[in-house]
Amino acid sequence: VTAFSPLEHTHAFQLPNGLQVYLKPDHRAPLVTAQAWVRVGSIDETQEEAGLSHVLEHMLFKGTRHFRADQISRWIEALGGSLNAETSREHTRYYIDVPRDGARQAVTLLSELLYRASFDAGEWNRERPVILEEIKRRNDDPESQLWELFNQTLFTHPRLRRPVIGYPATVEAVTPDVLRRFYERHYRAERAVVVVAGDFALAEMRRWVERAFRAMPGKGPPRDPLPQNNVFEPSSQRLEQPVQQSYVAFGFPTPPAGHEDEEALDLLAAVLTEGRGARLVDDLRETKKLVWSVNSFHLTHSGPSAFGIFFDCDADKRLPATEALMQALKRLRRNPPTEREVRRAKNLSHTGWLQSFETFHHQAAVIGSFAADGTIDRLPGYLARLQAVTPKRLSAVIDTYLGSLRLSDAVVEAP
Amino acid sequence: VNATTGRLSNGLKVIYRQSRRWPLATGTLLIPAGSFHDPAGREGLGSMAAELLSQGTRRDGAKRFADKLEMRGASVGASASDDYSELDFLAPENEMNEALALAGEMLAQPRFSAVELEKERRHTLASLRTRYDTIFNVAHDEFLRRLYGDHPYGRLTEGTADGLRRIGRRDLREWHRSRWRPSTAIFSMESSVPWSRARGILERAFAAWSPNGPVAAPANDPAIANSSGDSNVTSRFEQAFLMTGVLAPPAAHPDALALKIVNTVIGGGMSSRLFVELREKLGLAYDVSSFYPTRLRESHWAFYIGCSPSNLATAERRMEELLSEIADKGVTPAEFAQAKAMIRGNFAMEHQTGRRRGWYLAWWEFLGRGAEYDEQFLKRLGAMRLSEANRVARALLSKPRLTVRVVPT
């Protein structure tokens, strides 16, 4: 196993306002990525505010104190860069990738987005229909619909169940004032992480970041904690759509990021579906020929997380495929993954991890995600911990989480 | 470019770059065996052959073969596109030799087993249906079918249901023997090993790949329908979709680079004309863009928008106006400069990973420009003149276009 550390040459510091900063100079390519993570997402919304974090993500690009809406993307794109953002349940991430000469502009713009947005009413009137269109587009996409259903089956608390994108009615009701209040409450330096990776001089970049972000408001009202004992009651959801095949999800909630079982659950996903020889791929797809594809994942957050097994199949194969999956999961307890299966999964995970770290963008994204979850100390040792999971340990984790086979399920299929 | 080019004794052209940037060995093999070359009545053969290449060799069945690679944390897979098939290689450095030997075995002696063929056939037939769960595909497939007619570019790389049903093992073996020839392929690779050693490793890995018998005859270029006018399709979706476009120069054409720049002005990024006018100013759509794919033969240039059915007419009218405005007045110097910067930036992003760096070198060689074009590309881009770009834009935008509308039933 090649020595490699995701935090190699990374300089971490905190500004007086509480902003956490990670700078990772790397001169392998003449590029820089500047990313910001804000700890705000759909879990911070009330029912009436559903979709507000995502609306905000759109509106930050629609004008700030020093940039009009039409100047923001033009400024970065004229440098040969690109920018975008994404909202999830717990975080909103902004990222700007530029050739190295644009590094300072990228950092400056990132800071403008984070605390100098202007929320012009005219801009909001133009952006509202775009977001409503985005909702329609998701409604036309069976995989997006399956994802929403899946989340609803895992969690009972409304803050965890609501779609990140919100509902047409709640998006319609947003006003610039509502946006501004939400922004001032949640976009606080102590709730944010900035990561810059790529071809820059460390001291200079540190100065740029300090100058750009030192005026960002620090402390805000505390974030509403999520309910701790989220009791899991498996449930089922089925949505009828005129689709060509059945889209199926099974899963169960898992503990927050940083839990001692995290790496074993990650490894379990690789044992089940990574590569042609993985358990479920071999069984459901290659041998029994019941599904077109099958995937699994362990997705962690700082709050409740999830393990999912997704497959798609012909409509008439949905029941036999489900039965075969249950049998395979039962067998997993009787015949736990062998030493060889575990080694195979580890080797594939290791290559995948290395390959993904080839780009600055991904490096910064991973650092930001661990930092935003409050688990950055666990990042350097992640691969080593994954490699250290023994078949025995994996088997114990399987007993804990899959012992009773209490799984939720969601289906999108034709009537 | 800092790469070495050589030929192995089986005729395979190798472009090799020694790099210690990352502890992985990566490689891309390009070979002129795309869906364009599918024999009539066997549409989908090229794609099927590529998919089955990694599904077992004469020595090992699919499962055992995959296991050998996966135990090493390596992957080798092949796929076809319109003009070529591509084999991708990835291995941790300490497993490179063994993984390359497995890639060589796969290239020399694929099994094409009846069981795997049936499985792949069922998968592909199913995927031909399920792709219509996405509105973009409904519009795109109809657009290509109309624009190209019976020309191979008018159908999917995966083939047609009829073609797929007729493919047998003999077709696969003959396709592999006559089209997967080392002498017509290019393998571009990157690892930390010096070329002097890599050469020997590659010679050994690919030694058995030396097929006999005649090479496939060059495919002839069938006529392109080049339809214009309207085509309306009804669908189950909430949204409506519009796609409109024309035929456009092939990759090696002198106008291709100019068009790439103009395409970036019109549909590339968040400050492109389409994005700003139709999304930012009018709020008509979330998804609006354009594309000009790289093709060896006559390509196409298309503009699209997904919007509410009630906004479709407005979107279409505004898009029309915007395109005729560009045909009349051209793009501005500022837009032109920005598009060049975006292409340059994107080129640098793409060159971050070993796999993509290797792909570009193989592609330039495949196109007949030589791997060294990877350096010239940016110079050519810089030297491109605004008047050239506007001449190309005017010529293409004044042609009658084909317009496909997908609307709810």
Side-chain angles (χ1 to χ4, degrees), chain A residues 7 22 370-371 374-382 385:
Chain A
L7 284 180
Y22 296 86
F370 273 76
T375 56
I376 193 74
D377 294 344
R378 294 179 61 83
L379 175 57
Y382 174 82
R385 285 195 306 279

Side-chain angles (χ1 to χ4, degrees), chain B residues 166-398:
Chain B
R166 287 194 208 101
I167 294 171
R169 293 182 71 197
R170 187 180 298 176
D171 299 314
L172 290 162
R173 281 195 295 258
E174 178 52 22
W175 171 269
H176 175 257
R177 191 201 59 73
S178 66
R179 292 236 165 246
W180 280 77
R181 306 289 287 225
S183 54
T184 62
I186 295 146
F187 186 52
S188 168
M189 196 188 155
E190 191 170 307
S191 89
S192 66
V193 172
W195 168 238
S196 53
R197 260 184 61 211
R199 184 176 189 124
I201 296 167
L202 288 166
E203 279 288 3
R204 280 190 296 282
F206 293 127
W209 183 29
S210 49
N212 300 314
V215 178
N220 43 15
D221 274 25
I224 293 172
N226 195 13
S227 316
S228 54
D230 296 347
S231 173
N232 295 331
V233 183
T234 53
S235 82
R236 65 163 186 90
F237 299 102
E238 262 189 58
Q239 276 201 312
F241 207 92
L242 172 82
M243 188 174 285
T244 180
V246 287
L247 290 174
H253 192 280
D255 288 348
L257 187 55
L259 182 55
K260 200 173 159 69
I261 299 172
V262 177
N263 179 54
T264 304
V265 171
I266 298 182
M270 290 162 70
S271 53
S272 68
R273 287 267 186 120
L274 284 174
F275 196 92
V276 169
E277 290 298 322
L278 295 170
R279 177 169 156 166
E280 305 284 273
K281 290 192 183 158
L282 299 174
L284 291 173
Y286 175 77
D287 199 12
V288 54
S289 192
S290 67
F291 57 92
Y292 166 43
T294 302
R295 292 283 181 278
L296 281 190
R297 297 161 190 87
E298 200 77 346
S299 182
H300 48 277
W301 187 26
F303 318 94
Y304 67 87
I305 182 166
C307 62
S308 287
S310 58
N311 284 332
L312 188 64
T314 314
E316 185 168 355
R317 197 179 54 243
R318 192 60 199 111
M319 191 185 275
E320 259 337 297
E321 287 166 5
L322 190 149
L323 295 176
S324 18
E325 204 176 297
I326 290 173
D328 287 349
K329 298 183 187 150
V331 305
T332 67
E335 285 177 323
F336 183 67
Q338 174 173 327
K340 280 183 173 182
M342 287 171 74
I343 294 169
R344 213 176 290 125
N346 184 56
F347 187 82
M349 306 271 174
E350 286 264 288
H351 280 63
Q352 267 192 98
T353 67
R355 185 173 260 181
R356 291 304 290 167
R357 277 192 299 274
W359 186 90
Y360 271 96
L361 296 191
W363 169 247
W364 301 130
E365 191 70 39
F366 189 77
L367 209 54
R369 286 186 162 141
E372 56 281 4
Y373 188 78
D374 205 49
E375 275 174 356
Q376 290 163 23
F377 175 79
L378 292 180
K379 285 188 198 123
R380 296 263 179 111
L381 179 73
M384 180 59 65
R385 296 214 312 265
L386 175 62
S387 55
E388 271 300 281
N390 281 334
R391 176 187 60 77
V392 173
R394 196 173 308 119
L396 286 174
L397 291 174
S398 53

Side-chain angles (χ1 to χ4, degrees), chain A residues 383-408:
Chain A
L383 259 191
R385 285 195 306 279
L386 187 91
Q387 297 292 341
V389 176
T390 60
K392 199 173 156 200
R393 170 95 182 93
L394 187 59
S395 166
V397 164
I398 290 168
D399 279 351
T400 307
Y401 293 87
L402 282 164
S404 55
L405 273 190
R406 294 175 78 239
L407 303 172
S408 278

Side-chain angles (χ1 to χ4, degrees), chain A residues 70-99:
Chain A
D70 60 323
Q71 293 172 325
I72 290 182
S73 52
R74 201 172 297 284
W75 205 46
I76 294 302
E77 289 180 352
L79 294 163
S82 58
L83 69 172
N84 217 329
E86 61 198 19
T87 311
S88 67
R89 213 155 68 202
E90 297 189 17
H91 305 131
T92 310
R93 175 171 79 114
Y94 299 85
Y95 52 90
I96 307 177
D97 296 331
V98 283

